[in-house]
C-alpha cells in the first residue's frame, strides 16, 4: 500500500480515513456553567473525595428539593467522577429525587406517608387517600417505608420533619416549602453526662488504667451481643478485629430500618453520650483511629443533635484517640446490612458484598473494620462499671441478660420496653404494655419485625431471645414486636411485609429482586397457591445474596403454616 497516498472514503463526504474531525466538546452530557457554579458554591471548601458523594448529593437535594440532570453532570465534573457513577448512586436512594432532562420537577413540598405494618394498622391508607385532596396540587404525597416511630403511628414526614400520630390538619400546618428539621434536646446533654461520671471510663482506658483484654473479658462474660439483629457475641467480634493487621476502622450502624424497630432512636435521644462513650471505648479496644457513624435519614433531628453533641465532645478533647465522622443515609433499608452500609459510607450504592472476606477482615476502605449497632455500644459503660454479674443476673426462662423490645400495634402502652431476655410475649404484653388495647383480642405477633415471621397467640408462651424461635421458622432479630388482633387479616399482614421487601430489594440478585415482586403479585391476586408460594420462598431463601431476600418469605410461610384457615378468605384491608 502506498502510505503517502491512502485511499479515500468514497462519495459520502466523510473525512479521509485517519483524519476524523476533532470534536468541539467531549462525549456525553456537557456541563452547564450555571449548574457548575451552583454546585461549586454548595460544596464550598468541602473535600471532593468519592466517599463524600452522598453527602454532596444531599446538599443539592436539600437546596433545590430535587437533583436535576444538569446538577448531576456538574457534580460529576466537580468531583472528577464519571456521570454514570454519580447517576447510579443518586438513583439508588429513595430520598434523592432525580429529575431527568425534560421532566417536570416535583412540587416544592413532599409529604411521605409511612405505610409499613404498624402505620397501615393505624390508618395510613386513609391518609394517603385524603391528603392529596386536603393539601392541593402544590404538595406531593407519596408512600414511604418505616420511619422508626411505630409506637406513634401513623407517621408522616413533611420534608424532613416528622408528624407523629398524624392527621390531615397536623400535616397541613407543616406543609410549607420552608419546613426544616431542628436538633432535639437530648435527655442527657454533655455537661450533665460529664457531671455524672461520663467519659471517666474512657479516660481510664486512655491512661492505661484499663487493659484491652480486661474489657473484652468483661463484655464477653456479660454475654453482650450485637443487638442490631444478628446477635453475634461482642467480645468475640472485638477479638477477631484486633487479630487483623492494622490500620483498623470502626463503623456504627444507626440505620435501623426494620419495620417495627425504633429502640436506637429512643436511646440516642435519651442519652447520646452513653452511646458515644461506648463507641469510643470499642474503638480504643480495636485500635481504630477513625469511626464512622451511619445514621438513617429518617432521623434528621437526631443527626443534627449528634452533630452538636459530638462538637462538645471534641471541644473537650475527648476525641484525641479516634476521629469521629457522622454520615447521613438516604432512604435505603438494605443499608442496615453491614456490608451494604459500608458501601454507602464509601459513597456508593448500598449493595451487599459477597463473603468471604468478612467486614472484620476487609471492611471500610478495604481495612479491617469493627461494625457495631447503637444499642450494643449504649450498654458498654454500664456493663463494665457494674460488672458482668449485673447483666447476667437478669433474664427469665433459662436466658440471661436484658433486651430492649420495640413494641407497637394493638397494645395499650406501646414503646421501648427494657425487659429480661427470654421473656414471653404474653408476659411482655401484660407486664410492660398494660395489656391489649381496649376492645382488642390478641391474635398474633411479629417477634422480630418484618423479617422475623409471625406467630399465633397460642405460641405466646415461648421465651423470646436469640436462638429460641428458629425452630418455628422465626427469630427475634432486633426485637421489633408488632402485636396483632382479631381485626387483622393475616394475609393482608404478610402482603404488606412482602411489598416492603419488594420495594427495598437492592436489585443485585435475581432471586430477591424478581422473587419478592412475583410473591407480592401472587399474594395480591389470590387465591394463594400454597405449593407455588412455597417453591418460590425456597428459591429466595436458598439463592439470595443477603438476609433481605433470605428472610423476606418468613411472614408468608408463617401464614401458610400457622393460619391455614385464613387462606380461603378474601384478602382483607385496614
Amino acid at each position: 500500500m502506498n502510505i503517502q497516498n491512502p485511499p479515500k472514503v468514497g462519495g459520502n463526504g466523510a473525512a479521509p480515513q485517519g483524519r476524523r474531525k476533532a470534536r468541539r466538546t467531549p462525549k456525553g452530557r456537557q456541563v452547564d456553567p450555571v449548574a457548575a457554579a451552583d454546585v461549586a458554591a454548595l460544596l464550598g471548601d468541602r473535600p471532593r473525595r468519592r466517599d463524600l458523594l452522598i453527602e454532596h448529593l444531599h446538599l443539592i437535594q436539600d437546596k433545590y428539593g430535587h437533583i436535576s440532570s444538569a446538577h448531576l453532570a456538574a457534580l460529576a465534573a466537580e468531583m472528577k467522577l464519571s456521570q454514570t457513577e454519580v447517576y447510579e448512586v443518586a438513583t439508588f436512594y429513595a430520598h434523592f429525587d432525580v429529575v431527568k432532562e425534560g421532566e417536570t420537577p416535583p412540587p416544592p413540598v413532599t409529604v411521605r406517608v409511612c405505610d409499613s405494618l404498624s402505620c397501615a394498622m393505624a390508618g395510613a391508607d386513609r391518609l394517603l387517600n385524603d391528603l392529596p385532596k386536603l393539601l392541593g396540587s402544590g404538595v406531593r404525597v407519596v408512600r414511604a417505608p418505616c420511619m422508626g416511630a411505630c409506637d406513634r403511628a401513623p407517621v408522616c414526614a413533611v420534608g424532613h420533619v416528622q408528624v407523629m400520630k398524624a392527621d390531615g390538619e397536623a400535616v397541613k400546618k407543616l406543609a410549607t416549602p420552608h419546613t426544616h428539621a431542628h436538633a432535639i434536646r437530648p435527655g442527657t446533654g454533655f455537661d450533665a453526662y460529664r457531671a455524672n461520671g461520663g467519659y471517666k471510663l474512657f479516660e481510664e482506658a486512655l491512661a492505661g488504667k484499663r487493659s484491652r483484654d480486661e474489657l473484652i473479658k468483661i463484655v464477653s462474660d456479660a454475654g453482650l451481643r450485637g443487638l442490631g439483629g444478628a446477635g453475634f457475641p461482642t467480645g468475640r467480634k472485638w477479638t477477631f478485629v484486633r487479630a487483623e493487621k492494622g490500620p483498623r476502622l470502626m463503623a456504627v450502624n444507626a440505620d435501623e430500618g426494620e419495620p417495627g424497630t425504633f429502640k436506637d432512636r429512643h436511646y440516642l435521644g435519651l442519652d447520646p453520650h452513653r452511646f458515644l462513650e461506648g463507641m469510643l471505648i470499642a474503638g480504643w479496644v480495636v485500635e481504630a483511629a477513625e469511626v464512622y457513624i451511619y445514621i438513617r435519614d429518617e432521623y434528621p433531628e437526631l443527626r443534627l443533635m449528634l452533630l452538636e453533641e459530638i462538637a462538645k465532645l471534641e471541644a473537650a478533647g475527648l476525641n484525641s484517640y479516634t476521629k469521629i465522622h457522622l454520615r447521613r443515609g438516604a432512604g435505603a433499608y438494605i443499608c442496615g446490612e453491614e456490608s451494604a452500609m459500608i458501601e454507602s459510607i464509601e459513597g456508593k450504592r448500598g449493595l451487599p458484598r459477597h463473603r468471604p472476606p468478612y467486614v472484620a477482615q476487609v471492611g471500610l476502605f478495604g481495612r479491617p473494620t469493627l461494625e457495631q449497632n447503637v444499642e450494643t455500644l449504649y450498654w458498654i459503660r454500664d456493663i463494665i462499671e457494674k460488672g458482668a454479674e449485673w447483666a447476667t443476673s437478669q433474664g427469665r426462662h433459662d436466658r440471661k441478660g436484658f433486651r430492649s423490645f420495640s413494641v407497637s400495634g394493638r397494645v395499650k402502652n406501646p414503646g421501648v420496653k427494657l425487659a429480661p431476655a427470654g421473656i414471653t410475649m404474653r408476659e411482655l404484653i401484660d407486664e410492660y404494655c398494660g395489656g391489649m388495647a381496649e376492645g382488642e383480642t390478641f391474635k398474633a405477633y411479629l417477634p422480630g419485625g418484618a423479617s422475623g415471621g409471625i406467630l399465633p397467640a397460642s405460641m405466646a408462651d415461648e421465651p423470646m431471645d436469640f436462638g429460641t424461635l428458629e425452630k418455628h421458622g422465626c427469630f427475634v432479630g432486633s426485637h421489633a414486636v408488632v402485636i396483632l388482633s382479631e381485626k387483622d387479616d393475616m394475609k393482608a399482614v404478610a402482603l404488606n411485609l412482602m411489598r416492603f421487601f419488594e420495594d427495598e430489594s437492592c436489585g443485585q440478585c435475581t432471586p430477591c429482586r424478581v422473587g419478592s415482586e412475583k410473591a407480592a403479585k401472587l399474594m395480591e391476586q389470590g387465591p394463594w397457591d400454597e405449593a407455588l408460594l412455597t417453591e418460590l420462598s425456597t428459591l429466595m431463601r436458598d439463592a439470595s445474596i443477603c438476609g433481605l431476600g433470605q428472610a423476606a418469605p418468613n411472614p408468608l410461610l408463617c401464614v401458610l403454616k400457622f393460619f391455614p384457615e385464613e387462606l380461603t378468605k378474601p384478602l382483607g384491608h385496614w
Side-chain angles (χ1 to χ4, degrees):
M1 179 183 291
N2 183 351
I3 60 172
Q4 292 182 339
N5 297 292
K8 294 184 178 181
V9 177
N12 59 3
Q17 188 175 355
R19 297 185 185 179
R20 294 179 179 175
K21 186 180 291 185
R23 290 180 176 272
R24 294 183 180 180
T25 60
K27 286 184 177 181
R29 183 185 301 277
Q30 304 309 301
V31 177
D32 179 88
V34 175
D38 291 342
V39 170
L42 276 176
L43 267 57
D45 60 357
R46 294 176 175 85
R48 269 58 169 174
R49 300 194 315 268
R50 167 61 194 263
D51 63 290
L52 293 173
L53 173 57
I54 293 173
E55 298 292 316
H56 296 343
L57 287 168
H58 273 302
L59 293 175
I60 301 172
Q61 176 73 37
D62 291 347
K63 172 72 174 179
Y64 298 100
H66 65 279
I67 304 175
S68 68
S69 296
H71 282 141
L72 281 178
L75 181 60
E78 189 74 23
M79 298 186 69
K80 295 181 171 55
L81 296 171
S82 72
Q83 293 187 29
T84 300
E85 288 177 284
V86 176
Y87 180 81
E88 71 176 9
V89 171
T91 54
F92 181 84
Y93 295 93
H95 289 186
F96 295 140
D97 293 308
V98 177
V99 178
K100 299 177 183 177
E101 190 172 348
E103 292 183 344
T104 302
V109 178
T110 294
V111 174
R112 290 183 167 86
V113 180
C114 175
D115 69 345
S116 290
L117 184 57
S118 296
C119 285
M121 294 162 62
D125 282 345
R126 289 193 297 274
L127 283 172
L128 284 162
N129 180 66
D130 296 344
L131 285 177
K133 293 174 283 187
L134 179 66
L135 302 177
S137 59
V139 177
R140 178 179 59 159
V141 179
V142 297
R143 294 177 177 271
C146 186
M147 297 179 187
C150 316
D151 55 332
R152 290 167 284 178
V155 183
C156 296
V158 181
H160 277 294
V161 177
Q162 291 189 359
V163 184
M164 313 298 181
K165 295 185 179 295
D167 60 31
E169 290 305 316
V171 173
K172 187 177 181 179
K173 288 179 182 179
L174 278 176
T176 67
H178 305 293
T179 300
H180 299 291
H182 299 281
I184 65 167
R185 182 184 297 274
T188 302
F190 178 76
D191 292 338
Y193 185 74
R194 284 288 270 173
N196 195 32
Y199 293 106
K200 180 181 177 182
L201 177 60
F202 177 57
E203 289 172 324
E204 288 177 355
L206 291 181
K209 297 178 181 178
R210 300 275 191 164
S211 73
R212 291 178 170 87
D213 290 338
E214 172 195 0
L215 300 189
I216 290 175
K217 185 177 189 307
I218 293 173
V219 299
S220 297
D221 291 347
L224 182 63
R225 306 179 73 154
L227 297 170
F232 193 85
T234 300
R236 196 186 309 171
K237 182 181 285 189
W238 290 3
T239 300
F240 287 164
V241 174
R242 283 191 70 210
E244 297 293 326
K245 184 179 179 181
R248 308 179 193 97
L249 296 173
M250 181 176 175
V252 178
N253 189 340
D255 190 54
E256 55 174 1
E258 185 74 26
T261 308
F262 47 90
K263 60 185 177 60
D264 292 350
R265 177 182 216 158
H266 170 78
Y267 286 120
L268 285 173
L270 179 68
D271 199 349
H273 289 280
R274 193 168 297 273
F275 150 70
L276 289 169
E277 183 171 12
M279 178 190 76
L280 291 173
I281 290 169
W284 175 81
V285 168
V286 301
E287 301 176 79
E290 296 182 74
V291 57
Y292 290 76
I293 305 171
Y294 186 88
I295 187 165
R296 64 185 310 207
D297 202 30
E298 290 82 355
Y299 293 171
E301 73 290 343
L302 286 177
R303 181 180 64 85
L304 294 171
M305 179 270 288
L306 281 175
L307 283 171
E308 294 180 359
E309 297 303 314
I310 290 170
K312 296 173 185 176
L313 180 157
E314 292 173 341
L318 290 166
N319 69 322
S320 58
Y321 187 86
T322 301
K323 184 176 181 180
I324 302 172
H325 306 269
L326 185 61
R327 292 295 177 84
R328 178 180 173 185
Y333 166 73
I334 191 62
C335 290
E337 196 275 340
E338 62 176 5
S339 65
M341 179 187 72
I342 283 173
E343 289 285 300
S344 191
I345 293 173
E346 293 179 355
K348 305 172 188 174
R349 294 176 294 167
L351 301 181
R353 296 176 180 178
H354 292 270
R355 285 169 278 190
Y358 296 95
V359 167
Q361 301 165 310
V362 181
L364 192 54
F365 306 120
R367 299 181 183 178
T369 302
L370 174 66
E371 190 275 338
Q372 297 274 221
N373 161 261
V374 167
E375 194 199 352
T376 303
L377 299 172
Y378 185 89
W379 294 117
I380 285 176
R381 176 188 166 188
D382 287 278
I383 287 173
I384 293 174
E385 288 183 345
K386 297 176 182 179
E389 297 79 11
W390 168 75
T392 57
S393 64
Q394 304 177 59
R396 291 186 188 177
H397 307 294
D398 299 321
R399 312 299 294 186
K400 293 182 178 180
F402 50 85
R403 302 286 183 262
S404 299
F405 294 88
S406 304
V407 185
S408 62
R410 307 204 186 274
V411 291
K412 283 184 181 176
N413 302 313
V416 175
K417 311 297 179 181
L418 185 62
I423 193 171
T424 69
M425 184 56 65
R426 203 175 307 279
E427 292 168 339
L428 185 67
I429 293 172
D430 293 342
E431 298 176 32
Y432 289 83
C433 303
M436 295 293 292
E438 197 68 34
E440 305 287 0
T441 301
F442 183 30
K443 178 180 181 178
Y445 65 100
L446 278 65
S451 305
I454 308 171
L455 289 172
S458 60
M459 298 175 65
D461 295 316
E462 292 280 336
M464 293 195 298
D465 198 15
F466 297 111
T468 62
L469 302 178
E470 279 74 359
K471 60 188 176 183
H472 304 300
C474 298
F475 53 81
V476 293
S478 59
H479 295 74
V481 170
V482 183
I483 305 299
L484 308 172
S485 78
E486 292 294 342
K487 289 182 180 178
D488 301 308
D489 171 32
M490 292 299 105
K491 292 201 297 181
V493 169
L495 177 58
N496 177 281
L497 301 175
M498 186 60 75
R499 283 173 174 162
F500 169 80
F501 291 121
E502 177 189 1
D503 288 342
E504 294 299 321
S505 173
C506 75
Q508 182 179 190
C509 69
T510 303
C512 175
R513 181 185 69 250
V514 178
S516 57
E517 179 184 6
K518 183 68 173 177
K521 287 181 179 177
L522 291 171
M523 295 163 72
E524 183 176 6
Q525 292 168 358
W528 283 21
D529 185 329
E530 184 172 352
L532 181 58
L533 287 170
T534 301
E535 182 181 5
L536 180 58
S537 298
T538 301
L539 172 67
M540 293 176 66
R541 280 182 160 183
D542 291 348
S544 295
I545 290 173
C546 79
L548 191 156
Q550 294 164 11
N554 286 350
L556 159 63
L557 294 173
C558 285
V559 171
L560 295 176
K561 182 177 181 180
F562 298 117
F563 304 93
E565 70 282 358
E566 300 209 9
L567 299 182
T568 58
K569 298 178 182 178
L571 182 65
H573 57 82
W574 289 283

